[in-house]
């Protein structure tokens, strides 16, 4: 594959001093440490290094991934490139070190400060470029959480603030306390809930959108046709969209994506990512991968041009809300 130089995009609003320029596609690093079956650290290291070579400047991790090991991996590999990369991490999804299956959400100001210091230490850096609240804590007013996050900006520990999986109302309340640069939330051809209220709110306030799982947790690549293909520890085996009748229904949608992709000389993954990129210049997807070949394929989406006719055809083949099944087995931590 050619070393196509990635284009750049800007998250956030220069008027608020909350703008952040990043590569048009970032790299989600979660799967390098957990959740998608067996991990392969040497391959993860190669993938991170190749991403830098390809012009990826936006790397996404979180304290809970691993748990607690993904930040160390990302920080170690990217240390030689620190001045060229934008590091984003998250706090708020708390896991018990003794029993990582136990988790809860904490947005209390004391926890915000404690979590940030711990992340800086694991990453081996003196500041984080973008610091997200991973999930909204329904027992702590968002104003208190963001107030504590704003103190981290004042202290020089954090450059920009973000939220993840927040509702339009929460975003407004947070942004009134301190400018929010980005909202990270699930968004892809098969998950389009943000289009009704959240995306218009972001655009009104000058906040960027960072879609995670822009490939539908790998489903939109067309490589997964049965949950039996997945490792026993892979969390997708229990995802409502990957099982039973929903799986059969969703596979037919992916087949339609494949046909359109072939006509464009692209892979299904590239078409799905190009569709996300086409939703606006303030949208920066962070497809996650552990493998160099998948990374190279994903980066190729930046050069796939979709015309108005292409977008209309995709919309007909894969209309909003066409996918069957909830996004997660348990939606209780999602701020709606």
């Amino acid at each position: 594959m050619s070393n196509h130089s990635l284009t750049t995009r800007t998250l956030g609003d220069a008027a608020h001093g909350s703008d952040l320029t990043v590569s048009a596609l970032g790299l989600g690093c979660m799967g390098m440490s957990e959740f998608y079956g067996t991990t392969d650290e040497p391959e993860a290291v190669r993938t991170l290094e190749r991403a830098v070579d390809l012009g990826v400047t936006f790397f996404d991790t979180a304290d809970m991934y691993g748990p607690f090991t993904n930040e160390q991996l990302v920080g170690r590999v990217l240390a030689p490139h620190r001045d060229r990369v934008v590091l984003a991490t998250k706090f708020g999804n708390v896991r018990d070190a003794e029993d990582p299956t136990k988790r809860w959400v904490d947005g209390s100001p004391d926890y915000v400060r404690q979590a940030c210091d711990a992340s800086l230490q694991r990453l081996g850096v003196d500041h984080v470029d973008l610091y997200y609240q991973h999930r909204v804590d329904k027992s702590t007013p968002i104003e208190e959480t963001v107030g504590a996050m704003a103190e981290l900006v004042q202290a020089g520990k954090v450059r920009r603030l973000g939220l993840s999986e927040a509702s339009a109302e929460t975003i407004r309340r947070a942004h009134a306390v301190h400018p929010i640069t980005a909202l990270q939330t699930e968004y892809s051809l098969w998950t389009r809930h943000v289009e009704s209220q959240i995306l218009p709110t972001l655009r009104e306030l000058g906040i960027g959108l960072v879609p995670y799982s822009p490939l539908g947790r790998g489903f939109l690549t067309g490589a997964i046709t049965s949950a039996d293909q997945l490792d026993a520890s892979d969390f997708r085996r229990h995802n409502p969209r990957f099982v039973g009748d929903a799986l059969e229904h969703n596979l037919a949608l992916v087949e339609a994506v494949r046909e359109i992709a072939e006509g464009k000389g692209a892979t299904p993954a590239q078409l799905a990512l190009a569709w996300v990129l086409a939703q606006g210049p303030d949208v920066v997807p962070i497809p996650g991968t552990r493998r160099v070949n998948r990374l190279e394929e994903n980066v190729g989406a930046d050069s796939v041009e979709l015309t108005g006719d292409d977008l209309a055809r995709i919309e007909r083949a894969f209309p909003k809300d066409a996918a069957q099944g909830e996004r997660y087995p348990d939606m209780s931590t999602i701020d709606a």
Side-chain angles (χ1 to χ4, degrees):
M1 166 177 164
S2 67
N3 272 7
H4 166 77
S5 182
L6 272 169
T7 56
T8 60
R9 294 188 165 198
T10 301
L11 298 167
D13 184 4
H16 283 109
S18 60
D19 54 318
L20 187 61
T21 299
V22 295
S23 50
L25 286 146
L27 178 60
C29 301
M30 177 185 83
M32 295 175 180
S33 300
E34 199 181 10
F35 298 113
Y36 289 107
T38 9
T39 57
D40 178 346
E41 188 161 303
E43 178 69 1
V45 170
R46 286 191 289 274
T47 302
L48 285 162
E49 289 173 340
R50 182 67 176 134
V52 174
D53 290 344
L54 289 169
V56 175
T57 62
F58 189 32
F59 293 85
D60 183 87
T61 181
D63 56 5
M64 74 167 284
Y65 301 158
F68 319 120
T69 56
N70 193 247
E71 286 179 321
Q72 292 171 331
L73 169 69
V74 170
R76 187 176 78 245
V77 178
L78 296 180
H81 315 288
R82 180 64 186 105
D83 57 342
R84 293 164 53 196
V85 300
V86 171
L87 283 178
T89 192
K90 313 178 205 69
F91 74 91
N93 264 340
V94 192
R95 295 175 77 178
D96 186 328
E98 303 298 313
D99 179 4
T101 61
K102 285 188 188 162
R103 36 177 106 164
W104 60 96
V105 175
D106 191 343
S108 64
D110 282 347
Y111 184 72
V112 173
R113 292 185 277 268
Q114 176 193 325
C116 180
D117 286 343
S119 283
L120 291 174
Q121 192 168 7
R122 283 188 292 265
L123 286 162
V125 297
D126 63 2
H127 72 276
V128 171
D129 300 299
L130 179 59
Y131 198 43
Y132 294 102
Q133 181 184 21
H134 206 158
R135 289 290 184 271
V136 175
D137 179 358
K138 295 172 185 177
S139 63
T140 303
I142 192 70
E143 291 81 1
E144 290 182 21
T145 305
V146 176
M149 293 168 74
E151 288 171 16
L152 299 174
V153 177
Q154 299 302 317
K157 294 179 179 182
V158 169
R159 295 279 164 86
R160 305 280 185 271
L161 302 185
L163 301 173
S164 178
E165 288 287 0
S167 66
E169 185 204 352
T170 299
I171 294 162
R172 285 186 189 283
R173 288 168 56 196
H175 191 70
V177 175
H178 187 282
I180 301 298
T181 293
L183 173 77
Q184 182 174 138
T185 201
E186 189 175 348
Y187 186 43
S188 68
L189 270 172
W190 80 346
T191 299
R192 293 173 59 182
H193 64 289
V194 300
E195 291 176 356
S196 52
Q197 292 187 346
I198 292 172
L199 197 47
T201 301
L202 297 179
R203 289 184 167 150
E204 177 193 332
L205 299 175
I207 300 170
L209 177 66
V210 177
Y212 74 82
S213 295
L215 292 172
R217 300 187 173 79
F219 196 84
L220 298 174
T221 65
I224 300 165
T225 54
S226 161
D228 295 336
Q229 286 171 255
L230 304 171
D231 187 275
S233 63
D234 193 313
F235 86 110
R236 291 172 294 183
R237 289 179 76 97
H238 310 289
N239 185 290
R241 293 185 176 180
F242 285 78
V243 293
D245 292 344
L247 174 74
E248 293 308 310
H249 172 87
N250 295 334
L251 282 171
L253 296 171
V254 173
E255 193 49 46
V257 169
R258 185 195 305 280
E259 285 175 24
I260 298 171
E262 281 174 3
K264 296 290 293 181
T267 66
Q270 288 171 337
L271 188 87
L273 288 172
W275 179 87
V276 173
L277 288 165
Q279 302 312 303
D282 51 354
V283 179
V284 179
I286 49 166
T289 186
R290 302 172 287 183
R291 299 187 180 88
V292 171
N293 63 334
R294 286 291 187 198
L295 167 76
E296 291 176 341
E297 178 186 352
N298 292 346
V299 165
D302 190 36
S303 26
V304 175
E305 298 282 343
L306 296 180
T307 65
D309 285 349
D310 293 331
L311 290 167
R313 191 175 166 207
I314 294 167
E315 188 70 30
R316 286 194 298 274
F318 208 136
K320 186 178 178 181
D321 301 328
Q324 277 186 11
E326 282 281 17
R327 300 196 280 134
Y328 288 103
D330 176 7
M331 294 284 286
S332 65
T333 66
I334 302 298
D335 180 42

